[in-house]
Amino acid sequence: MTQLPDVQLVGAFELSAPGCRGACYRSWLVAREEDENSTLADFRGRRAVANSLDSHSGYNALRYLIAPLAQEGRFFSTAHLSGSHRQSLAHLRAGKADIAAIDCLTWALLRRHAAHELAGLAIVGETPLCPAPPLITSARTDAETLATLRRVLTQFVEEKAARASFITGFTVPERAAYQAIIRWEEQAAALGVTAL
């Protein structure tokens, strides 16, 4: 939405992981088990970690949630970038950070395939639903190729690999649905919060 505004939307996967609904997903707010009964407000002045500045699920969504709680544009004492959701979880486990926003699909896949990476961690909150990550193509992709891409992706969801990845369908949402991502950023900025 911010760095590739001229691409074409191919579509999005419908997902069955806990926390997802159709072609929408959310992030879980994750902390160590010792904080499992805490609310987001309890993390004021503590340390956040996010995967990257351009991540909706790990950065923008968390910024949106803390904005109403911030004071003079700040809520956390520090916020570090880890490079990936898995690295953010590793930071939590190692005590280098106290809270992170992890998309529910990543959480479900790790629970299924690498549960040890979630050991000692707990979900303490959640973000609202937003459109699932878009599949995109160049603005120069012709209509016939775009139709082929959509047909192949529709067929892919019937494959075992798709089901194993919590993919249950393929849809072409309205591009306007993704404006929610920009609105979350704008609403946080209106409250004086432009960064974690």
Side-chain angles (χ1 to χ4, degrees), residues 111-188:
R111 180 166 295 293
R112 178 177 284 176
H113 300 289
H116 63 280
E117 295 188 35
L118 307 182
L121 303 178
I123 294 171
V124 297
E126 63 186 43
T127 69
L129 286 165
C130 69
L135 302 171
I136 59 175
T137 188
S138 167
R140 294 186 300 273
T141 300
D142 62 75
E144 183 179 350
T145 302
L146 181 61
T148 299
L149 288 170
R150 289 174 172 164
R151 184 176 68 254
V152 170
L153 288 164
T154 300
Q155 293 168 350
F156 168 71
V157 301
E158 303 301 325
E159 299 292 328
K160 184 177 179 180
R163 302 294 178 180
S165 299
F166 298 98
I167 296 170
T168 58
F170 174 77
T171 187
V172 182
E174 292 292 325
R175 187 168 178 140
Y178 289 94
Q179 286 299 321
I181 293 168
I182 301 299
R183 284 196 301 273
W184 289 18
E185 181 178 10
E186 292 172 344
Q187 288 172 19

Side-chain angles (χ1 to χ4, degrees), residues 54-129:
D54 62 353
S55 169
H56 173 71
S57 59
Y59 193 93
N60 190 45
L62 183 55
R63 177 177 53 195
Y64 171 76
L65 285 185
I66 59 107
L69 304 172
Q71 296 172 344
E72 298 180 1
R74 299 292 299 168
F75 180 76
F76 297 115
S77 62
T78 61
H80 296 286
L81 300 177
S82 68
S84 71
H85 281 310
R86 291 178 88 167
Q87 281 302 112
S88 292
L89 293 168
H91 277 60
L92 293 176
R93 291 194 313 273
K96 296 178 182 178
D98 302 305
I99 191 168
I102 307 295
D103 77 79
C104 61
L105 181 59
T106 295
W107 181 271
L109 288 168
L110 288 172
R111 180 166 295 293
R112 178 177 284 176
H113 300 289
H116 63 280
E117 295 188 35
L118 307 182
L121 303 178
I123 294 171
V124 297
E126 63 186 43
T127 69
L129 286 165

